[in-house]
Amino acid sequence: MKSTNRPLKDEESYSSLEHAENDRETKYYSSLTDSLAAAAPVGSAVKLIGCDEKPLLSAGYRIAERDQDVTVARGGEREFSEARKISNGSKLILVPTHDYAAAATGRHRVESNAFARMKDGAPPHSVVFDEAELNSNAASVFGELIALDMCAYDMTFASRMRGESVDTITFERVANLLTATTDSLKTHEKDRVYVSRVLTEAGKTAAEIVKDCPKLLHCSGAAQTYEAVRMLYRAENRPLGMRGETEAVISFAVCDFYIKNITDGALRFPPDNARRIDSVCEYFGADIRCAAIYADPIYPPIKMRLYEYRRNEFRAEITKLLAAVKSRQAAAAQVFKRLYADDGYGIRLLIDKTDLPLCLALAPDVFFGDSMLSFLKQTGKLEEYIV
């Protein structure tokens, strides 16, 4: 089946987009008023999304619904995406309360017909990293770092499978960030002021890493599985936690699944895409035409043989990287749980464990990612989890 959603293959235009982002430097601030003063003179028209207008009115700015000079979005990816849609050429200022890693890049996730895909655009004029905005979202922001570590692994795996050079610098930056943040927070998880300060700086660093390497954002099997979980819960009208905390929990499960399967070289039958499309429609409430477009095409035999060879050739290196990711996860998990008032008691119910196998199995067909999970789909190892 030939898929038309591979821009959905945004990756093909990375070089020019990355060059454009480097030409347009995003500035960082710790307060919205400072950011706004640098973007536009007093009296300018400002469109707000998720922000309190009183401080800006007091500072002399006008609040506008259209024809604005500046668009300000406070929140996460949903608010950021909405701001991009309506900015109409105005300067864009983002004030993340979560989704810190996505704040400084033009690459962003958008939802359409229940599915989600990655899209490229202009980076924001500035980003406001304010400690007060983090507040109750500490666990989710730390979860973003855990999820980003999984992205760095899958990006490395994909590079090996494609026969490309590995971006060891980005992998090490992410690994060092998660390790340093874990060490800084350990035994201080209940000090909210300290936690907010550490995670705000860590979130800013994560945003800088993604800005330097946009394809790192949401490129993991855990990110794909999160999208499947989101679609399932949306179809069944069930509440879902914030992306950072949810994807962190999923990352723990996906890492274990990768470790289990990296040593299994046996091929199953090729995946049954017709059955998979039917399952996406049945469980996720997707339209069959959209499901057919988003389904990950089956690799031709010659490509699959090459990928299998490379997997075996680099198995020792990949296994070592996975072990390192698992070690960082084990240390981070303890801090992650303590960031909750109930010390992680409630996150046991964040995702129904009976939903994970199905969502993991169908994940490559709802969100594009050149991940190890997508590779495992091609080997036929995910078919047994589709009920």
Side-chain angles (χ1 to χ4, degrees):
M1 181 182 297
K2 187 175 182 179
S3 173
T4 60
N5 83 308
R6 297 291 168 240
L8 314 183
K9 276 252 185 191
D10 301 313
E11 286 73 8
E12 295 170 359
S13 57
Y14 268 135
S15 58
S16 60
L17 285 162
E18 288 176 336
H19 179 69
E21 292 206 7
N22 290 333
D23 287 345
R24 190 174 188 177
E25 193 68 28
T26 297
K27 301 176 179 63
Y28 301 145
Y29 295 87
S30 58
S31 77
L32 177 55
T33 52
D34 289 346
S35 174
L36 198 52
V42 173
S44 299
V46 182
K47 168 68 176 179
L48 299 178
I49 298 176
C51 297
D52 183 3
E53 63 182 37
K54 292 181 181 178
L56 300 188
L57 288 172
S58 299
Y61 291 93
R62 295 182 294 114
I63 307 303
E65 288 301 316
R66 60 180 182 274
D67 299 327
Q68 68 271 26
D69 301 302
V70 183
T71 302
V72 179
R74 174 183 176 274
E77 281 192 303
R78 181 175 58 185
E79 290 79 13
F80 299 166
S81 181
E82 180 63 23
R84 294 177 195 278
K85 289 179 186 177
I86 65 174
S87 60
N88 297 323
S90 63
K91 291 182 178 178
L92 178 63
I93 297 176
L94 303 181
V95 187
T97 60
H98 55 290
D99 288 322
Y100 277 51
T105 178
R107 185 163 170 77
H108 60 286
R109 190 187 67 95
V110 296
E111 294 179 20
S112 176
N113 298 317
F115 291 89
R117 65 184 178 92
M118 299 304 295
K119 187 175 180 180
D120 290 295
H125 172 273
S126 54
V127 183
V128 179
F129 292 101
D130 186 347
E131 292 178 21
E133 294 290 355
L134 193 142
N135 199 12
S136 60
N137 298 335
S140 186
V141 172
F142 186 61
E144 291 175 35
L145 305 185
I146 297 172
L148 199 63
D149 197 31
M150 201 75 239
C151 288
Y153 165 78
D154 266 315
M155 187 177 73
T156 301
F157 178 87
S159 294
R160 282 303 187 201
M161 292 301 100
R162 293 194 300 262
E164 299 173 354
S165 298
V166 172
D167 187 349
T168 56
I169 294 176
T170 297
F171 184 90
E172 289 173 2
R173 288 178 73 187
V174 174
N176 292 338
L177 174 61
L178 179 57
T179 299
T181 307
T182 300
D183 291 343
S184 295
L185 294 178
K186 197 178 298 181
T187 73
H188 298 286
E189 301 95 338
K190 302 304 181 184
D191 185 340
R192 307 310 297 179
V193 174
Y194 177 80
V195 166
S196 294
R197 183 168 65 251
V198 170
L199 285 179
T200 298
E201 285 302 312
K204 180 179 176 180
T205 302
E208 187 68 23
I209 292 172
V210 173
K211 176 173 172 283
D212 292 341
C213 183
K215 64 182 178 180
L216 179 65
L217 189 63
H218 305 328
C219 70
S220 72
Q224 292 175 290
T225 305
Y226 167 83
E227 294 299 337
V229 171
R230 179 188 60 79
M231 291 176 68
L232 176 65
Y233 281 41
R234 178 180 182 271
E236 297 182 353
N237 197 27
R238 286 192 276 165
L240 187 63
M242 299 183 72
R243 182 180 185 108
E245 61 184 352
T246 307
E247 195 171 324
V249 172
I250 292 172
S251 292
F252 299 146
V254 169
C255 186
D256 288 339
F257 187 75
Y258 282 0
I259 291 172
K260 174 184 175 182
N261 283 279
I262 191 65
T263 56
D264 183 2
L267 286 174
R268 312 293 193 269
F269 289 104
D272 184 347
N273 262 13
R275 180 190 177 208
R276 299 176 71 85
I277 290 170
D278 287 342
S279 296
V280 168
C281 294
E282 177 184 355
Y283 292 107
F284 302 156
D287 178 85
I288 191 166
R289 290 169 296 182
C290 292
I293 290 173
Y294 276 78
D296 196 23
I298 298 173
Y299 293 171
I302 190 169
K303 180 177 181 178
M304 196 61 207
R305 286 195 293 269
L306 176 59
Y307 272 39
E308 273 291 292
Y309 167 79
R310 284 176 172 155
R311 194 272 303 270
N312 293 333
E313 179 69 15
F314 297 107
R315 191 193 303 273
E317 175 191 328
I318 293 168
T319 301
K320 184 178 179 180
L321 291 177
L322 263 180
V325 171
K326 182 62 181 176
S327 177
R328 287 191 292 273
Q329 284 187 351
Q334 296 303 313
V335 172
F336 177 62
K337 291 188 291 184
R338 302 295 182 267
L339 290 173
Y340 290 94
D342 63 2
D343 296 318
Y345 177 81
I347 63 172
R348 299 174 308 148
L349 306 176
L350 195 62
I351 304 174
D352 190 328
K353 290 185 178 180
T354 62
D355 294 330
L356 265 180
L358 174 69
C359 290
L360 185 146
L362 295 175
D365 293 316
V366 301
F367 188 70
F368 173 73
D370 201 1
S371 66
M372 183 173 168
L373 190 63
S374 292
F375 168 76
L376 290 173
K377 174 208 164 171
Q378 299 295 331
T379 68
K381 292 179 183 177
L382 303 184
E383 302 302 288
E384 61 188 278
Y385 301 102
I386 303 175
V387 294

